[in-house]
Structures are given as C-alpha cells and as structure tokens.
Amino acid sequence: MAAEWSVLLLTCQRGGCVSAFQRELEARRLRGGLGPRPPALLLAVEDPWARLGSGGATLNALLVAAEHLSARAGCTVVTSDVLREARILILHMGRDFSFDDCGRAFTCLPVEEPGAPAEALVCNLDSLLGTMTHRLCVGSPPGVWVCSTDMLLTVPSAPGIDWDGFQGVRVIAVPGSQAYARNHGVYLADEQGLVRDIIYKGTEAQIQQCAGPDGTVPLVCGVVFFSSDAAEQLLATHVIPPLDACTYMGLDSGAPPIQLSLFFDIVLCMAGGMTKEDFVKGGGDASVRSARSVLWTALRAFPLSMACIPNASYDYMTTSASDHIRSLTLLPGSASHLRFCKTAHSHVDQPCLLEDGSSVTNCLLEGAVRLAAGSVIQHCHLQGPLEIGPGCLLSGLTTGSSLALQGCPLRDIVLQGHHIQLRDLLCRVFTLTGRLDDWQSPAEEATYLNMPWAEFFHRTGIREGDLWDAETPRRSRCLLSARLFPVLHACEALGLEDVLWLLDPVAAAGERLARWRAAWRMSWQELLPCLDKAAELAARRALFFLQGQHKVRRVLLGCQDSSLLPLARSAVHEGYHEAVLGMLDEVASTAGDAGIAARALACIADVLGCMARGEGGLRSGPAANREWASAFRRLESGDIAGGVWELAAERQKWMSSAALLVRAARHYEGAEQILLRQAVMSSCQFVTVGQAELPPLGHWVQVACPARLDLSGGWSDTPPITYEHGGAVVDVAVLVDGCRPIGARVRRIGEPELRLVSLGGTPQSEVAVELVCRELEHLRDYCQPHAPGALLKAAFICTQIVQFPSQKPLRAQLMESFGGGFEVHTWSKLPHGSGLGTSSILAGAVMASLYRAAGKAASTESLIHAVLHLEQRLTTGGGWQDQVGGLVPGIKIGRSKAQLPLRVEVEKIPVPNGFTQTLNNHLLLVYTGKTRLARNLLQDVVRNWYARLPSAVQNADALVSNAEECAQALRQGNLPLIGKCLDRYWQQKKCMAPGCEPLAVGRMMEALRPYVYGQCLAGAGGGGFLYVLTKGPRQKEALHQILAKTEGLGNFSIHSIEVDTGGFAVEVMGCDPKDGAHPREDVAV
C-alpha cells in the first residue's frame, strides 16, 4: 500500500532557486519516484521572506495548496472546502547546509535501488518521500502532513499507528537516548498519548520526566499531521494579522515580516499542559505574541496526540563534519528501506583501493585512487594516482583538480567545489575546512583545519586582518565569517591549489600567500547566498550520466547481469539519451563479440522505446523495411562494426515521432536477432553427418516421433539465455493416446523438383496442402516462418541437399547429386499451439528422414543441434528443449553452459524400477480448448532478458535450480516432490511470460488443484495442453467429471500419456508407405 497525495509541496528559502527544485520534483514524477499514482499537483514553493521559519513556511504552503486545489475545482476564490478530502504533503527544505550546496534535502545518500523503474541518485528527499508515502502515512485519513528534510529518518515497514476515530493533530516521535535529547526536542505525553509539552534542550530532570519504561524518550523528529478540520482552521488564520505576513499574499500586500516555528508557535498551543498566558508570553516580540494569540484561538480546541514509532530512528543532520561523514559511512538501521553501499552510482577503475567503511557516490574515479575508511567522496571526477586519508569529505571536484591533489596530505579535511553566481558572472570556488572545525565558535576558542587559529596564523603568515574587518567584534570572528576562500584574481585564473596551499604552507613559501592576499576572497557566510543551486544540480546530473556511460561499457563488456533499462529511462527523461546511444554504438561496434553486440543493439532498442514514451504502437512488429536492409546485410556478412554504424546513421532519420521511434526499435531488435542467430549457429560444429546407403528411388524413409512434456526449466534453453546464463530442462518423451503423434517421410522421385506435402493428422490422412518447388526462387521465402512450406524449405537448405543461394539452378543441383528430386510428407495429430514441442520435433523428424533419404546419417546429438540451426535460419528462434524432449527417449535433463559455441548435453535420468509405469498411471493431458495467440511471447522474453530485468535474471536462476531439483525427485521416484516442482515451474513460467494463463485455464487449474500433486501448461503456456500429476492412479474419468461440472471451460478433452522409452526411429520402407517390409533403422548411433 501507499499513500496517494493530492498535492506535494517542497518549500525552499527565498532566493533558493525554486525553478531548479521544481525541475527536480518533475524529474521524480517522470521516473516513477513518486509512486504509481503521483500527485496531481507538484509544487516547489519559495518562502515569501528570507527568515520565515517552519511555521510561516507551513502556513504559506498550505495557502498555495488550497489556492491551486480551489482553481482546479473551478472556484474563483480560495475555499477551505477543498481540504476536506485532500491529502497534502509539505516538505520543508529548511536552512542552508555546510556540506551540500543544495541543502539537506538534496544531500545524496550512498544508495542504489536496482528495483527502481528509472536509475537516479537517491537523496535524503527521496528517502523521506519513500518513508512518508509507503510507511508512515499509510492508512491516515485526509489531511496535511508536514515533514522537515533536515534529518535522516528510519521507520519500520509497519509503524503501527492507530487511526481509528482520530481527530485533531498528531506528532510523530521516535525513541532516542536521554543523552541525545539534551541537544534536541522531546515530547512530554500522558498515558493516553496526548502531548502535555514540547521541551527543547531541557534539563536532565525535564528530559527524565519524558522517559518511558525502557528509559528512552520520544524525540521530536520534524513530522506532524493535521486532520482536515485542523488544517482548515490553520488556513483560516492566513487572513488575520499578523499571520497574514507569513504568506506570499501578505508580502504582496505590504505586511511586515514575521518568523514562526511550526512546533513552538503552532503545535505547542495544542499541548495539554500549556496555558494561554504562558503560551502567548513565550513569544519573542509583540508581533509573535499577537500571532500566538490568534493561533491559540484557532487551534486550542484540537487534541494533540503523539505516535512514538518503535524501532524507528532519527538522526539530525548537524553542521558537524564528523557527524555527516559518519552518517554516510555507517549502515542505516535494520528498519530502513534503504541499503547503503560503498560505491553508489559510480565508476571506479580500481575498486580494491576503496577501504571498507569508505563511501563513494556519483563519482568517476580513474586510475589509482586510494580512499581510507571513514572518508567520503561525492560528485567528483578524479584521476589518480591520489591518496585520500581517513576523515575526509570531498565533493564537487572535477578532473582539473586532480593534479593539484596529487601528493597533497589529505586527512580529516572537508574539500568542496562550488558553483557561484555573482550577478551575471558564473565561477567555481573551492572551500577547505577541517573535520573537527566548528563554524560559529569564536576564533579564540575554535580551530581551523583542526588546529587552533593562532597556530594556523603562525604556519601560514595569514593575519586576522586578512580575514575579518577591524570593526568585527571578537565574538563574531569565526570560521563562518572568515574571508578565507579566493573567488577572483585580477590577473590569474584561480584553482584548487589556491586553497590547498593552506594545508602545506611551508612548501608553498611566500608566493602562494601573496597570490592569496591579492585575490578577492569571500567567507562561507558571504558565499551561501551566491551558491548556484541550478548549476550544481546540472553538474551532478551530467556527472551521473558520464559515469552511467562507463557503466554501460562495464556491464556489457563484462557480461554482467545488471539491467541498463532504468538508466535508459533516466537518460531519456533528463535529455541524455544521445550520449547513452553513442556509448551503446561504440560498444556494439568494438566488442568483437556477436553476443555482446546483440545485447548492445537490444539496449539501443530499449532507449528508442523509452523515447517513444509509451506511444507509437507495440514494440513487437515487422522489421524488414528496405531502408534498413543495407545495414542488415552488413551484419549478416559478419561486418558488425560497419553494420552498427550504418544502423546509427539510419536511426537519425527515425527520431522525429513516437511511431517512427517504435519502428526503429523494432528494426534494432531485428538487427539483434541477426547477431543472436549467428551466435546460436555456432552450434553447427556439433553437427556431424556420416554416409549411409542411398535408398532406392521411390522408397520412403519414415520417422515417427513422440511429443514432449517439459517438467521444469523451460525458457532457460532459449537463446540468448541459454548461452549467457546457462540452461537446464527436464523433458519426457511421451506417447499421446498410445501413439507417436508427429512424423515425416521422404522419398526420392524422378522429377528434379521438391514436392512438399502436409497431411492431416496421420500418415494415412488425405493431403491438406501440397507445394512444388522447381526453381531456387521458390525457396527464397524459407526464412519467413508463415510462408507455405517454410520449415521444409529451410530443412532442404540446412541439410545441404540444396545449396541456396547458388548460381546453379535447382533442377541441375538435384539431377547431379541425386538423379532426381524429393517428395516430403509431414503430419501431426496435435493441434496448433499445443505446447508439446510439435514444430521443433517435426523439424527433427524431417531432417532425420531427409538425411537418410539422401544417403546420409546423423546422430541424435547432431539432430538436436541441426534443429537449433534450422530454427535460426527459419528466424523462429526458440531453444533446444523441444527436440531434446522428442528425439531422446524417456526421461532426461538437457543442459547448456553459459558459453559459446552453444552445445547441448543430455543426461538420461535413471528412475526406480516400476516408476515409469507409476508415472504413466498418474500423468494426464488435458486439452484446454484454448489456442495460444501470444505470438510475441518469445520476443518479450528475449527483450526482458537482454534488459536484464531483475525478475528475469532471478527467474532464470530459479528455473535452472528447479530443473535440477525435479531431476533429483525423479531419481527418487517422489511424486509429491515432482508435483511441487511442476507447480513452482508454472509460477516461473508466468513470471517469465506474464499473461500466459488464460482465465479459463486458471479456473480449470483451480478445480483440479485438490486432486493433483502438481500441474502446468505445456510449453510457453497461453493455451494448448495442461498436464497434471494426479494423486491417485488412472484418474481420467474422475477428472473428466470434475471439469464437466466446472463453468466457463469450453471444449476440453482429456488424453492419456505414457513415457516413450523407445524413442523415435528411422524406417526405410517400400514404395508404398503402408509397406513395412523393410527393416527399421535406429538413428541414434
């Protein structure tokens, strides 16, 4: 579950670059970071005054939300009625932050979210949004949530807040130690959870009074909820002076500014222990006291309750560098939905140089960059050799800074690069401080670069007069106001070395001091209003996609199972798609590996699909436009680099609309299929063909094959999964209703032509389709699966009975080699889309009979690989499990390793004596009456695998492990365990190809569930046959009665099946196909 927001508002300080923050919110909406149903209104709101306070910012944000909701409701004035059913979330950015130019909200955390729809940096804002939306606010009534962003907040997945009968206002607390509470706020609540008082930096006795039985105290964590009634009353105060001054309307009306706290000026008035006199007197000046009086009148009647969340944690983001570094290098509590990692969204050439306990986020570290434990690098592009000692925070440094850093003693320092805007001048400024320095303590009591100021002055030659004006009071002379940081120089460009010399002044001598004095310098206090937050966010974005390009190369060339689709989505949302496409082109053209190039082309198709933004039609579709033909020919000829660059040139012509982008994506998938076919056809080297006696002219060679049941592991045999991940499939060769349902026969004929005949369901059936090929041109459509006779045409080419293409005519080829032509008959008793492996097994039968009729012989292993080759030439793709199932007798497991060339190895599974008959007694086949219509199932599976969707990768692992477990269950003769494997296998199929379970099939399986150990749709699913492993033997009639009573099933039928332990056979027969006088020949030699 998730809270669904009507409005989400982010408040920021005046002059705080509200447009940049609005862009950040919109980016989160685009990439799915705001949930499946993002807020209708997404607003970054600038405080009307520079020092408005959290209370004033809340009132102003509430007014803005009500005004927008009123406008959407068609009102011409603000009406509080719109708050009745609204769910509003207000997030306050608060004050500036010493360690992140974009504030605490946009401080990046060392987190990656592989399951996120789009890849992005994870900021504290994102963490809090996740906590509020998916945990804390779930189940709350309509109203207004207000949340500070100045803390790291961790909440369990089920916080356990009771909202039944809730009224008024509720504050959220987290348990903390009494020691921590000395510098923070705590709630004093009664046994009913009603707040009596809010104590800030209280005495030991006051804090002890707030403690619970376990000694912890409820810390104020910056989160409060106003019911709709309370929010309406709070909104009503915006027109009453002096509270009108808190809003932009007050600013526009000329009201004098006022500063209010959310907790101590608004929430506190509802605390049960407060009297009006104490509350109003507690205000600072007269305007605040007047505001408090108004608030007391408006809100006092509402009960203020507290929810203290067990196992939650709260960590205020202080101005202490030590605290900040610690928060980024320690793992968050077990209740967190985030998992910190050492390296997040970064490319590191030598990750072994990063010590445990260090943290790198959004960085590109090239060469040897050594990072000690307890140090953090963020938003940096650095080139080694560099050595960064413990206790450091580096941020915002570019490659140009690397030379200055080499050999520099970096230990316990904070080094940051900043984007500064001075009117129309944009520049870079570097600041350097010590980890132990305090910003606001007077210089006499404080340190700079972790040493007393007096020692710093002595070591560097800098004087107090260089840093502070003479009239600056001594208590105000602190690090915050010290003009330490060079900004501009009259003659020279400034760089990182202009602050780094402060670490080693002896080596720099007087030259650096003079240059430093000659520069115009600013204090951190003066720099803060000049920080260009938009430029900083843009620089982080650019660096993120630069390291993202390195990730593309690393993942593809390293054959890693990481998905690049989330990065592609982000690149499209943020306008960096061209850079990603360029890197994919480069990898595809230079990899020197058809498998890697194919995946790169599939990733390009994904980027183009993302650019279409869900418009332009289905991703699956035709890919034979003649504009792409030249590039395709290059790929087919083996010129991968030339083909890739020709594809890229053609791509530029297809970028102007969603429809063209989708069509371009289809052609990239077509190009990827060319390379995939080349990779799979490496299996040809495992096809060996020997010589055999040429049967007499007119004598039939006949092959009859069983069907196959896939008991587990299917889809793991599908290219490219089978050679990139490795596959394992348990198959059983089966007779259906006592016979082998699939077959072919071939004979040589005197006419130099190819007669291709499709019979009905049996060898004795009438001719259904007949096709005669007399010229090579008649074979040209062999690679179009739906063309008449395509499979048989491909079989003649793959067995090399016919050379195609060739300068020699077909008639001449046939007469020279065979003294005539061939006639082929094929049949299958199984319906189309049965899921029992018909087409692949038929291809095996055709090739076996063709080889033999042409005076050749091929082993079963050769036929398995020959069918793989044929199906790639035919362009239907597909794996190897069908032919293994139908060509190898009995029960077996086929395996392929994660490597090329692709080789399938088959192991027969020995079962206990009598178990084969037991299996026959318990297995039944149910025809569902549904024909599989999902022609694009295979294309979808391949697309998801190339994208390395986490679900697809995990499912591939599970398919293989389940196959091995099923094989072991068969060895044991354990029917219940086999049934569990079947059920698990069906779930895995549904995960791999969603939508493969029609509603009627679901009803059928539900009706049968009490009577079976396990059940599964055969093959890819979507229709065809369901096979069931019954608890009792010989249950055909019983199951028929059960299904007959089940509504909505349509025309089903139940068939007996039995394990075929004999396997297929090649028979050379007489001229009459019914003449069985000639002996049978076993093909498996």
Side-chain angles (χ1 to χ4, degrees):
M1 287 181 64
E4 293 183 3
W5 304 112
S6 313
V7 191
L8 191 155
L9 301 99
L10 178 68
T11 72
C12 59
Q13 290 182 314
R14 186 166 176 79
C17 217
V18 67
S19 60
F21 296 135
Q22 181 70 41
R23 185 192 188 286
E24 289 298 310
L25 291 178
E26 294 294 345
R28 281 158 175 77
R29 187 211 300 268
L30 280 174
R31 63 178 181 241
L34 301 179
R37 298 183 65 181
L41 285 169
L42 208 56
L43 304 168
V45 180
E46 187 176 61
D47 293 345
W49 307 107
R51 298 180 64 81
L52 185 63
S54 57
T58 299
L59 185 54
N60 183 63
L62 183 57
L63 171 61
V64 171
E67 187 172 3
H68 278 78
L69 288 172
S70 298
R72 283 193 164 229
C75 304
T76 55
V77 294
V78 176
T79 170
S80 61
D81 292 345
V82 295
L83 299 181
R84 287 279 86 198
E85 297 300 322
R87 298 173 188 272
I88 298 171
L89 175 60
I90 299 171
L91 296 158
H92 290 313
M93 284 191 62
R95 294 183 289 273
D96 293 309
F97 189 41
S98 314
F99 309 115
D100 196 293
D101 289 358
C102 299
R104 293 171 171 87
F106 289 96
T107 296
C108 284
L109 305 178
V111 169
E112 291 188 354
E113 296 181 301
E119 189 167 322
L121 298 174
V122 177
C123 302
N124 188 37
L125 174 71
D126 302 299
S127 173
L128 289 168
L129 272 171
T131 296
M132 299 296 287
T133 302
H134 298 287
R135 298 190 172 205
L136 205 51
C137 307
V138 174
S140 64
V144 178
W145 282 91
V146 185
C147 178
S148 168
T149 62
D150 60 6
M151 76 293 194
L152 298 171
L153 183 64
T154 295
V155 172
S157 56
I161 304 175
D162 182 9
W163 293 103
D164 287 346
F166 172 78
Q167 292 181 320
V169 176
R170 176 166 283 168
V171 291
I172 303 299
V174 302
S177 70
Q178 295 184 38
Y180 189 84
R182 290 185 195 122
N183 291 308
H184 294 275
V186 292
Y187 294 111
L188 175 63
D190 62 20
E191 293 179 355
Q192 284 73 43
L194 295 174
V195 176
R196 304 285 301 161
D197 198 359
I198 306 174
I199 299 165
Y200 182 64
K201 292 187 178 181
T203 64
E204 191 170 329
Q206 286 176 314
I207 293 171
Q208 176 64 41
Q209 190 182 4
C210 302
D214 61 355
T216 63
V217 291
L219 298 172
V220 175
C221 72
V223 181
V224 60
F225 174 72
F226 294 85
S227 66
S228 297
D229 289 336
E232 283 189 50
Q233 287 299 311
L234 178 60
L235 176 64
T237 65
H238 86 274
V239 294
I240 305 174
L243 287 169
D244 59 339
C246 293
T247 69
Y248 80 93
M249 285 186 174
L251 171 68
D252 292 349
S253 302
I258 184 173
Q259 183 175 5
L260 288 180
S261 160
L262 172 61
F263 286 91
F264 294 102
D265 290 319
I266 295 180
V267 174
L268 186 60
C269 74
M270 293 172 278
M274 272 286 137
T275 64
K276 181 176 181 179
E277 184 179 1
D278 289 341
F279 176 68
V280 173
K281 283 183 179 177
D285 55 31
S287 63
V288 174
R289 288 195 295 273
S290 176
R292 283 189 165 204
S293 180
V294 173
L295 290 166
W296 179 278
T297 301
L299 301 174
R300 179 60 186 176
F302 292 105
L304 178 63
S305 59
M306 177 190 76
C308 190
I309 313 299
N311 301 315
S313 66
Y314 158 87
D315 194 2
Y316 179 73
M317 299 170 75
T318 71
T319 55
S320 159
S322 295
D323 287 349
H324 187 59
I325 291 170
R326 176 190 55 78
S327 70
L328 295 178
T329 52
L330 289 178
L331 294 175
S334 59
S336 176
H337 59 286
L338 301 174
R339 291 290 174 264
F340 281 19
C341 48
K342 186 196 299 184
T343 306
H345 301 296
S346 298
H347 175 79
V348 181
D349 276 353
Q350 299 185 37
C352 60
L353 298 181
L354 307 181
E355 293 185 8
D356 290 341
S358 63
S359 174
V360 178
T361 304
N362 195 36
C363 289
L364 191 53
L365 304 184
E366 300 173 307
V369 178
R370 187 178 297 276
L371 183 64
S375 283
V376 175
I377 309 180
Q378 292 196 330
H379 317 301
C380 290
H381 182 181
L382 300 175
Q383 293 175 329
L386 293 175
E387 185 150 351
I388 298 153
C392 293
L393 170 64
L394 273 61
S395 177
L397 306 181
T398 59
T399 44
S401 306
S402 299
L403 191 60
L405 286 169
Q406 290 176 11
C408 195
L410 301 180
R411 186 185 183 96
D412 292 325
I413 58 101
V414 177
L415 182 58
Q416 300 177 87
H418 310 274
H419 294 269
I420 299 296
Q421 182 165 13
L422 302 168
R423 294 194 178 177
D424 295 330
L425 178 64
L426 302 176
C427 58
R428 293 276 286 153
V429 173
F430 299 96
T431 59
L432 175 67
T433 56
R435 178 175 65 84
L436 304 176
D437 297 345
D438 183 273
W439 286 98
Q440 293 181 298
S441 296
E444 290 93 339
E445 306 165 12
T447 61
Y448 178 56
L449 297 180
N450 308 309
M451 68 183 85
W453 278 96
E455 182 182 340
F456 169 75
F457 291 144
H458 175 73
R459 290 184 61 188
T460 59
I462 292 173
R463 300 185 293 266
E464 280 196 57
D466 294 323
L467 303 180
W468 298 287
D469 296 333
E471 60 271 19
T472 303
R474 299 207 65 79
R475 299 296 296 175
S476 299
R477 297 186 180 190
C478 60
L479 176 54
L480 190 65
S481 60
R483 294 193 185 99
L484 278 161
F485 311 117
V487 177
L488 294 172
H489 193 282
C491 308
E492 303 175 64
L494 297 173
L496 185 59
E497 59 274 13
D498 292 293
V499 293
L500 282 178
W501 75 274
L502 299 173
L503 292 172
D504 193 13
V506 177
E511 178 189 343
R512 282 292 175 192
L513 175 59
R515 177 181 162 98
W516 179 86
R517 280 203 172 111
W520 178 46
R521 302 181 312 282
M522 295 175 73
S523 67
W524 180 241
Q525 189 170 255
E526 292 166 330
L527 284 171
L528 278 174
C530 304
L531 294 175
D532 190 338
K533 296 175 174 63
E536 175 61 29
L537 289 167
R540 293 179 185 183
R541 204 157 42 241
L543 182 56
F544 173 80
F545 286 107
L546 183 59
Q547 68 80 28
Q549 291 174 64
H550 282 74
K551 175 181 179 176
V552 168
R553 172 184 289 277
R554 182 175 72 245
V555 166
L556 293 179
L557 294 181
C559 300
Q560 297 176 9
D561 284 339
S562 298
S563 178
L564 295 176
L565 184 56
L567 180 64
R569 290 192 183 109
S570 282
V572 170
H573 296 326
E574 302 278 8
Y576 281 85
H577 49 274
E578 287 292 352
V580 173
L581 287 170
M583 177 57 73
L584 289 167
D585 289 334
E586 183 183 322
V587 171
S589 62
T590 60
D593 180 291
I596 292 172
R599 184 179 173 191
L601 295 182
C603 290
I604 292 174
D606 280 338
V607 175
L608 297 174
C610 292
M611 290 172 67
R613 300 181 188 272
E615 300 179 359
L618 296 172
R619 277 286 300 276
S620 299
N625 188 291
R626 65 184 63 184
E627 300 297 325
W628 299 82
S630 175
F632 281 18
R633 283 194 295 271
R634 278 186 180 271
L635 294 176
E636 285 166 345
S637 70
D639 180 8
I640 294 178
V644 167
W645 292 118
E646 200 166 328
L647 286 170
E650 183 60 31
R651 180 177 74 219
Q652 294 304 316
K653 307 171 189 175
W654 296 67
M655 308 280 271
S656 59
S657 72
L660 289 175
L661 285 163
V662 168
R663 290 166 64 194
R666 292 171 182 167
H667 283 82
Y668 263 94
E669 289 187 342
E672 150 230 306
Q673 287 294 319
I674 293 171
L675 299 182
L676 187 153
R677 288 198 291 274
Q678 291 175 353
V680 175
M681 286 194 284
S682 64
S683 62
C684 281
Q685 61 189 271
F686 304 115
V687 179
T688 55
V689 180
Q691 292 300 313
E693 181 185 354
L694 187 69
L697 194 72
H699 281 227
W700 290 99
V701 176
Q702 182 164 304
V703 174
C705 294
R708 72 96 187 90
L709 285 187
D710 53 318
L711 299 188
S712 55
W715 285 122
S716 73
D717 66 305
T718 305
I721 301 171
T722 191
Y723 62 77
E724 291 184 351
H725 175 276
V729 183
V730 174
D731 272 322
V732 184
V734 293
L735 306 179
V736 179
D737 292 331
C739 71
R740 293 175 180 153
I742 303 161
R745 61 183 176 222
V746 179
R747 68 175 176 179
R748 287 192 299 117
I749 57 177
E751 286 296 313
E753 62 189 23
L754 307 178
R755 295 179 192 165
L756 313 178
V757 178
S758 176
L759 303 176
T762 67
Q764 290 76 37
S765 299
E766 296 295 321
V767 173
V769 179
E770 184 170 0
L771 192 67
V772 179
C773 301
R774 297 187 175 93
E775 299 174 11
L776 285 177
E777 185 62 29
H778 296 160
L779 301 180
R780 186 168 298 280
D781 59 359
Y782 78 93
C783 57
Q784 297 174 24
H786 301 294
L791 184 149
L792 301 182
K793 295 173 185 178
F796 275 104
I797 293 168
C798 290
T799 54
Q800 297 185 328
I801 291 173
V802 174
Q803 302 298 318
F804 182 91
S806 173
Q807 297 298 315
K808 187 176 290 188
L810 176 62
R811 297 172 69 89
Q813 290 187 41
L814 292 172
M815 288 304 295
E816 285 181 19
S817 300
F818 304 103
F822 290 86
E823 182 176 349
V824 183
H825 292 186
T826 60
W827 61 89
S828 170
K829 291 183 67 175
L830 302 174
H832 178 70
S834 68
L836 298 180
T838 308
S839 59
S840 298
I841 297 171
L842 183 61
V846 170
M847 294 186 87
S849 53
L850 274 178
Y851 276 132
R852 188 64 190 88
K856 301 175 183 179
S859 67
T860 302
E861 182 187 7
S862 292
L863 284 173
I864 289 168
H865 293 91
V867 173
L868 260 177
H869 175 229
L870 180 145
E871 291 190 329
Q872 295 306 317
R873 294 291 294 270
L874 189 61
T875 70
T876 53
W880 45 256
Q881 63 149 313
D882 295 346
Q883 58 265 37
V884 168
L887 299 181
V888 179
I891 306 167
K892 60 270 172 182
I893 180 169
R895 298 185 182 92
S896 61
K897 294 178 181 175
Q899 64 185 38
L900 288 173
L902 171 58
R903 183 170 194 170
V904 184
E905 298 175 308
V906 183
E907 174 196 340
K908 292 192 177 181
I909 299 174
V911 297
N913 289 336
F915 182 70
T916 299
Q917 185 56 47
T918 301
L919 210 53
N920 293 341
N921 292 338
H922 288 263
L923 270 175
L924 284 172
L925 204 56
V926 183
Y927 183 59
T928 63
K930 300 292 178 183
T931 301
R932 188 173 74 242
L933 299 176
R935 291 181 178 176
N936 299 321
L937 273 182
L938 174 61
Q939 203 167 351
D940 291 342
V941 169
V942 171
R943 184 182 300 131
N944 292 342
W945 173 256
Y946 269 137
R948 289 305 193 277
L949 298 187
S951 59
V953 175
Q954 292 161 12
N955 205 36
D957 293 339
L959 283 164
V960 171
S961 62
N962 190 52
E964 297 293 350
E965 187 175 334
C966 184
Q968 187 59 30
L970 285 161
R971 292 185 192 101
Q972 297 167 1
N974 188 332
L975 284 180
L977 186 54
I978 296 168
K980 283 185 180 178
C981 292
L982 299 187
D983 282 343
R984 192 182 303 133
Y985 181 32
W986 180 234
Q987 297 307 316
Q988 292 164 353
K989 284 186 181 183
K990 290 195 290 184
C991 175
M992 195 62 95
C996 66
E997 182 180 281
L999 284 174
V1001 172
R1003 291 192 200 101
M1004 183 178 287
M1005 296 178 85
E1006 190 61 35
L1008 295 176
R1009 188 161 288 117
Y1011 309 98
V1012 301
Y1013 286 125
Q1015 54 189 327
C1016 185
L1017 274 181
F1025 282 96
L1026 171 73
Y1027 59 90
V1028 297
L1029 186 65
T1030 60
K1031 292 178 178 177
R1034 297 176 291 277
Q1035 294 291 298
K1036 183 175 178 181
E1037 291 304 319
L1039 262 56
H1040 193 282
Q1041 290 177 20
I1042 292 163
L1043 294 179
K1045 296 174 184 174
T1046 305
E1047 293 182 2
L1049 297 189
N1051 295 322
F1052 69 90
S1053 56
I1054 301 182
H1055 305 264
S1056 63
I1057 48 175
E1058 55 187 286
V1059 177
D1060 184 358
T1061 56
F1064 85 103
V1066 177
E1067 289 184 279
V1068 178
M1069 309 172 72
C1071 296
D1072 184 347
K1074 298 175 184 177
D1075 178 7
H1078 291 264
R1080 190 172 94 167
E1081 299 179 10
D1082 190 348
V1083 76
V1085 295

